[in-house]
Amino acid sequence: MLEIELNGAAHAAPGSAGEATLLALVESLGLQGQAVALAVNRRVVPRERWRETLLANHDKVDVVRAIGGG
C-alpha cells in the first residue's frame, strides 16, 4: 500500500510507489464518472492525465467535488 495524504488526512492508497496512478485512486474512492477536480502536491491534474500520473509515498492529494445549485 501507498501512504498518501488525502484531503489533509492519512490514507492508504491502492498499489505501490511508482506504480499507483491517480486514476486507480479515483476508482478506489468510487469517484469515477463524478464531477471532481484533483490536485497532487497542490498542482491540478487534468482528467486526461489521471491514468498516467503516478503517486509516490507522502504525496498530498486534494479532491474537490463540484456541487450544483444556485
Side-chain angles (χ1 to χ4, degrees):
M1 281 286 180
L2 184 67
E3 295 294 327
I4 63 170
E5 185 178 303
L6 179 63
N7 288 351
H11 182 82
S16 59
E19 296 179 0
T21 65
L22 196 54
L23 180 60
L25 175 65
V26 168
E27 291 171 346
S28 73
L29 296 171
L31 297 174
Q32 63 273 27
Q34 295 189 25
V36 295
L38 301 176
V40 177
N41 299 324
R42 300 202 173 264
R43 294 184 143 193
V44 175
V45 180
R47 184 178 296 264
E48 62 270 12
R49 298 196 61 203
W50 291 358
R51 183 176 305 276
E52 66 193 51
T53 300
L54 298 175
L55 297 174
N57 273 317
H58 311 295
D59 274 349
K60 295 178 181 178
V61 179
D62 294 302
V63 178
V64 178
R65 292 181 191 208
I67 298 174

